[in-house]
C-alpha cells in the first residue's frame, strides 16, 4: 500500500513537471507567434556602463552590460533570438516609432512624457540620482545648488528631475548636454558647478577622476529602469511575466550584483592622482586602440562610396543646369538650393528615420549615411563641376559640333575630362570635407572612428585621450589624401 502511494505521488509530480514544461513552451511559442518572427531587435545606446557598453579590450566589438544580460535572458525564455542595434540616446524612442526595433533597453525611466509615445514594462531596477561636483564643493543636497550651473544629459530622467528641483530652488541654471561624459568634462573645465547623474554611472566617473565626488540625493520621481516598446506592442505582457519571474527567483538581483557591485570597466588601480591641467595618460587607452582602429575601414568605405556616388550625381545635376532646357535647369537649381540650405544633420535624421515609415524599407545606418551624403555632396559638386565645364574654352565645343559630334559624346569625351582636371583641387577639398563630416553618422549608430573613440571614453570614464587619438587618425588620413591628390595633379599637368 505504501509503495502504491509512492508511485502515485511520483506520477503526480511527473505530471505537474510535464504540464509546467509544456505550459512554458506554449507561452514561448505564443509570444513568438504573436510577433510573427523569431528574432527580436533591441536598440540601445552602448555608452552607458555598466548598463550597456562595448567590451573594447583587444578590439572586441561586442556590446555587454546589465541590460544586455537581461535582454538575452528574456529572449531565451520567450523563444526568440536577439539582435542588438545602437543609436544615440536621443534617437531611441524615434527608432521605436519608426519600427526600427522591437524594444529599447538603455536604463530608461518611464516618465509620463515618454509614456505618451511608447509603452513600458514594469520597473526592473531602481536607481538613485546623485550630485557630481568637484571634491570639496560641499554640494550634498538639492538646496545646495542655489545659484549654481547644473549639467544634465538631454532627454534623461535626470534632466526632468533637475527642472523640478529648479522650480523649488531658485537661481539654478540648467545646461543640457548630449552625453554624461560631456557634463563631467564641463565640471572639470569649470563651466558648470555640478551635474545630476545616476548613482551607478557617477560611481565610475568618481573612481576615474579623483578630483570629483558624488552625493546621493532624493529623486523628485522614481528613477527606475524599464523596457520601452512601440505603443500597442504584444511583447509587453510576456516580457512583464518573465521580468516578474526573474525578480521573484532572485535572477535580477544576481545580475545587478554582477554589474553594479564591482566596476568592471574602470581600472581603479590605474586611476590617475589629482593633477592640474588636462591630466593626460594615454596608457589608459592602449588596450582599446585596436577597437578605435576598427573604425578606420568603416570611415574610408563611407567616404569612398559618398564621393563616388556624389560625383556621379553632381555631374548629372551640372549637365541639367547647362543643358538649356528650362524645366530641367529649374529642377536642378531648386534641388541644389534645398540641400545647400538645410543642415546636413537634419537631412541625415530624416533619411534614416523617415525612410522605413514612408517606403517600408528598413534602411541600415550605413546606407542612410551614404545616401544622405551622396544627395548633399551632389548638390555642392554640381556647382563645382558646372564651373569647371564652363571654364573649358568654348572653341572646343564649337569645333566638335561643327564636325558633327553629338552633344552627349562631346561632353563625355572632350569637355568633362578637361573640366575634371580643372576642378581636381576643389574635388579633393570636398572629399576631405566628407571624410571629416563622416563623424556625423555616429548619431545614427555607425561605429566609425569618432564613435569608437567616444565609446572608449565612456567605458574608461575619460574624455581627452581617445578623442586626441581619433584626431591623430583623421589628420594622418587627410594628409595621405592631400599628398595623393597633389601627386595625381602633377601627373595630369605633365600631359598638358
Amino acid at each position: 500500500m505504501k509503495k502504491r502511494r509512492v508511485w502515485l505521488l511520483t506520477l503526480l509530480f511527473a505530471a505537474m513537471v510535464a504540464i509546467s514544461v509544456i505550459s512554458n513552451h506554449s507561452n514561448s511559442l505564443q509570444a513568438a507567434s504573436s510577433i510573427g518572427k523569431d528574432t527580436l531587435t533591441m536598440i540601445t545606446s552602448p555608452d552607458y556602463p555598466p548598463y550597456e557598453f562595448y567590451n573594447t579590450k583587444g578590439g572586441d566589438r561586442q556590446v555587454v552590460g546589465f541590460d544586455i544580460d537581461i535582454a538575452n535572458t528574456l529572449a531565451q525564455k520567450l523563444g526568440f533570438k536577439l539582435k542588438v542595434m545602437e543609436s544615440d540616446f536621443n534617437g531611441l524612442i524615434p527608432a521605436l516609432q519608426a519600427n526600427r526595433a522591437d524594444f529599447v533597453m538603455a536604463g530608461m525611466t518611464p516618465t509620463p512624457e515618454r509614456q505618451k509615445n511608447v509603452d513600458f514594462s514594469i520597473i526592473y531596477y531602481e536607481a538613485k540620482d546623485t550630485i557630481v561636483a568637484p571634491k570639496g564643493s560641499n554640494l550634498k543636497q538639492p538646496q545646495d545648488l542655489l545659484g549654481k550651473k547644473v549639467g544634465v544629459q538631454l532627454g534623461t530622467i535626470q534632466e526632468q528631475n533637475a527642472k523640478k528641483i529648479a522650480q523649488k530652488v531658485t537661481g539654478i541654471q540648467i545646461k543640457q548636454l548630449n552625453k554624461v561624459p560631456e557634463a563631467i568634462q564641463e565640471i572639470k573645465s569649470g563651466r558648470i558647478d555640478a551635474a545630476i547623474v545616476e548613482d551607478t554611472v557617477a560611481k565610475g566617473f568618481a573612481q576615474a577622476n579623483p578630483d570629483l565626488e558624488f552625493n546621493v540625493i532624493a529623486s523628485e520621481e522614481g528613477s527606475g529602469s524599464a523596457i520601452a516598446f512601440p505603443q500597442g506592442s504584444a511583447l509587453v505582457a510576456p516580457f512583464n511575466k518573465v521580468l516578474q519571474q526573474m525578480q521573484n527567483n532572485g535572477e535580477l538581483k544576481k545580475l545587478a550584483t554582477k554589474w553594479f557591485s564591482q566596476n568592471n570597466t574602470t581600472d581603479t588601480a590605474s586611476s590617475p592622482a589629482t593633477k592640474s591641467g588636462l591630466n593626460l595618460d594615454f596608457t589608459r587607452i592602449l588596450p582599446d586602440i585596436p577597437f578605435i582602429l576598427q573604425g578606420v575601414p568603416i570611415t574610408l568605405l563611407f567616404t569612398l562610396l559618398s564621393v563616388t556616388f556624389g560625383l556621379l550625381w553632381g555631374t548629372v545635376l551640372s549637365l541639367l543646369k547647362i543643358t538649356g532646357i528650362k524645366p530641367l535647369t529649374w529642377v536642378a537649381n531648386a534641388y541644389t538650393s534645398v540641400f545647400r540650405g538645410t543642415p546636413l544633420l537634419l537631412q541625415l535624421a530624416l533619411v534614416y528615420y523617415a525612410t522605413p515609415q514612408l517606403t517600408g524599407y528598413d534602411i541600415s545606418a550605413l546606407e542612410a549615411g551614404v545616401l544622405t551624403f551622396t544627395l548633399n555632396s551632389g548638390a555642392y559638386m554640381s556647382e563645382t563641376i558646372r564651373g569647371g565645364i564652363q571654364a573649358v574654352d568654348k572653341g572646343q565645343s564649337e569645333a566638335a559640333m561643327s564636325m558633327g559630334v553629338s552633344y552627349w559624346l562631346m561632353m563625355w569625351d572632350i569637355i568633362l575630362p578637361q573640366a575634371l582636371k580643372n576642378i581636381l583641387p576643389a574635388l579633393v577639398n570636398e572629399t576631405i570635407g566628407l571624410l571629416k563630416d563622416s563623424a556625423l553618422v555616429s548619431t545614427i549608430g555607425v561605429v566609425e572612428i569618432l564613435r569608437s573613440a567616444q565609446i572608449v571614453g565612456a567605458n574608461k570614464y575619460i574624455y581627452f585621450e581617445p578623442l586626441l587619438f581619433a584626431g591623430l587618425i583623421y589628420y594622418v588620413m587627410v594628409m595621405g589624401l592631400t599628398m595623393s591628390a597633389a601627386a595625381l595633379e602633377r601627373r595630369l599637368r605633365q600631359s598638358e
Side-chain angles (χ1 to χ4, degrees), residues 95 129 262 285 315 338 349 353 360 370 387 451:
D129 286 351
Q262 55 180 345
I285 65 168
T315 303
V338 169
Y353 292 114
V370 170
R451 178 71 171 174

Side-chain angles (χ1 to χ4, degrees), residues 368-417:
V370 170
L371 177 59
T372 305
F373 276 66
T374 296
L375 296 175
N376 183 277
S377 179
Y380 284 91
M381 285 192 184
S382 67
E383 286 297 295
T384 304
I385 296 170
R386 182 180 63 81
I389 292 174
Q390 292 177 337
V392 177
D393 187 2
K394 283 188 177 180
Q396 299 200 33
S397 58
E398 292 172 355
M401 295 182 73
S402 67
M403 296 175 67
V405 179
S406 66
Y407 176 81
W408 295 111
L409 185 60
M410 173 194 70
M411 293 299 297
W412 184 255
D413 281 350
I414 300 174
I415 305 299
L416 281 178

Side-chain angles (χ1 to χ4, degrees), residues 204-237:
F205 280 107
Q207 288 176 334
N209 299 275
D211 53 337
L212 299 179
E213 65 180 12
F214 70 96
N215 292 288
V216 177
I217 59 173
S219 300
E220 292 294 310
E221 288 187 358
S223 296
S225 300
I227 305 172
F229 302 89
Q231 285 187 326
S233 172
L235 289 171
V236 179

Side-chain angles (χ1 to χ4, degrees), residues 8 37 65 81 122 132 178 224 442:
L8 284 174
K37 53 186 176 183
K81 297 175 183 174
I122 59 175
V132 179
N178 286 328
S442 65

Side-chain angles (χ1 to χ4, degrees), residues 43-45 87-106 108-120 155-156 160 226-231 352-353 357:
I43 189 164
T44 186
S45 179
S87 169
D88 260 7
F89 187 83
N90 293 333
L92 295 177
I93 288 182
L96 279 186
Q97 294 173 321
N99 295 320
R100 303 193 65 88
D102 297 299
F103 65 98
V104 167
M105 289 188 78
M108 186 175 284
T109 300
T111 64
E113 289 77 13
R114 288 173 181 158
Q115 287 174 330
K116 294 176 183 174
N117 299 297
V118 294
D119 292 338
F120 280 97
T156 61
Q160 297 184 21
I227 305 172
F229 302 89
Q231 285 187 326
Y352 181 62
Y353 292 114
Q357 297 182 68

Side-chain angles (χ1 to χ4, degrees), residues 103-341:
F103 65 98
V104 167
M105 289 188 78
M108 186 175 284
T109 300
T111 64
E113 289 77 13
R114 288 173 181 158
Q115 287 174 330
K116 294 176 183 174
N117 299 297
V118 294
D119 292 338
F120 280 97
S121 70
I122 59 175
I123 300 287
Y124 62 85
Y125 182 74
E126 295 281 354
K128 298 174 183 176
D129 286 351
T130 67
I131 297 176
V132 179
K135 188 166 283 186
S137 58
N138 204 29
L139 301 178
K140 298 181 178 179
Q141 299 296 327
Q143 294 76 11
D144 298 331
L145 298 175
L146 176 67
K148 305 293 185 183
K149 291 182 180 177
V150 179
V152 291
Q153 186 182 9
L154 182 66
T156 61
I157 185 65
Q158 284 74 35
E159 180 194 11
Q160 297 184 21
N161 287 340
K163 289 178 178 177
K164 290 174 181 173
I165 292 173
Q167 292 174 355
K168 299 176 181 176
V169 183
T170 57
I172 295 179
Q173 298 179 46
I174 297 175
K175 185 173 184 178
Q176 291 103 338
L177 299 153
N178 286 328
K179 299 178 185 298
V180 173
E182 294 174 5
I184 299 300
Q185 205 55 42
E186 289 287 82
I187 296 174
K188 292 169 74 72
S189 63
R191 294 195 183 95
I192 61 176
D193 300 295
I196 296 182
V197 180
E198 190 175 311
D199 56 346
T200 53
V201 180
K203 179 182 177 184
F205 280 107
Q207 288 176 334
N209 299 275
D211 53 337
L212 299 179
E213 65 180 12
F214 70 96
N215 292 288
V216 177
I217 59 173
S219 300
E220 292 294 310
E221 288 187 358
S223 296
S225 300
I227 305 172
F229 302 89
Q231 285 187 326
S233 172
L235 289 171
V236 179
F239 268 51
N240 280 340
K241 184 177 180 180
V242 177
L243 283 174
Q244 193 62 57
Q245 290 173 353
M246 293 174 71
Q247 280 184 346
N248 294 340
N249 63 21
E251 204 167 350
L252 279 176
K253 188 175 180 180
K254 288 180 182 177
L255 291 176
T257 302
K258 171 186 174 183
W259 291 105
F260 297 136
S261 64
Q262 55 180 345
N263 199 323
N264 293 326
T265 58
T266 303
D267 185 0
T268 54
S270 63
S271 297
T274 303
K275 298 177 184 176
S276 59
L278 296 181
N279 198 17
L280 297 178
D281 181 4
F282 286 95
T283 59
R284 288 187 285 182
I285 65 168
L286 283 178
D288 306 293
I289 285 179
F291 179 83
I292 299 177
L293 291 177
Q294 285 184 19
V296 174
I298 298 173
T299 297
L300 290 176
L301 174 65
F302 172 81
T303 305
L304 178 63
L305 292 176
S306 299
V307 167
T308 303
F309 293 131
L311 180 61
L312 294 174
W313 182 228
T315 303
V316 172
L317 288 173
S318 65
L319 293 177
L320 293 179
K321 289 177 181 179
I322 64 173
T323 188
I325 302 173
K326 285 189 176 181
L328 295 180
T329 304
W330 184 87
V331 169
N333 286 333
Y335 173 91
T336 302
S337 174
V338 169
F339 276 88
R340 291 173 65 180

Side-chain angles (χ1 to χ4, degrees), residues 11-91:
L11 286 173
L12 181 61
F13 177 74
M16 291 175 64
V17 170
I19 291 172
S20 175
V21 170
I22 292 171
S23 176
N24 287 335
H25 182 62
S26 174
N27 286 338
S28 299
L29 292 177
Q30 188 177 6
S33 62
S34 64
I35 302 302
K37 53 186 176 183
D38 59 0
T39 301
L40 292 181
T41 301
M42 165 187 167
I43 189 164
T44 186
S45 179
D47 51 10
Y48 201 59
Y51 285 91
E52 44 269 320
F53 60 98
Y54 273 97
N55 180 8
T56 58
K57 291 182 179 177
D60 193 357
R61 291 221 155 198
Q62 184 182 7
V63 180
V64 298
F66 178 57
D67 283 346
I68 303 300
D69 277 1
I70 295 176
N72 278 320
T73 304
L74 287 165
Q76 182 185 4
K77 291 191 175 183
L78 292 173
F80 290 104
K81 297 175 183 174
L82 182 67
K83 175 185 174 185
V84 179
M85 290 175 57
E86 68 174 272
S87 169
D88 260 7
F89 187 83
N90 293 333

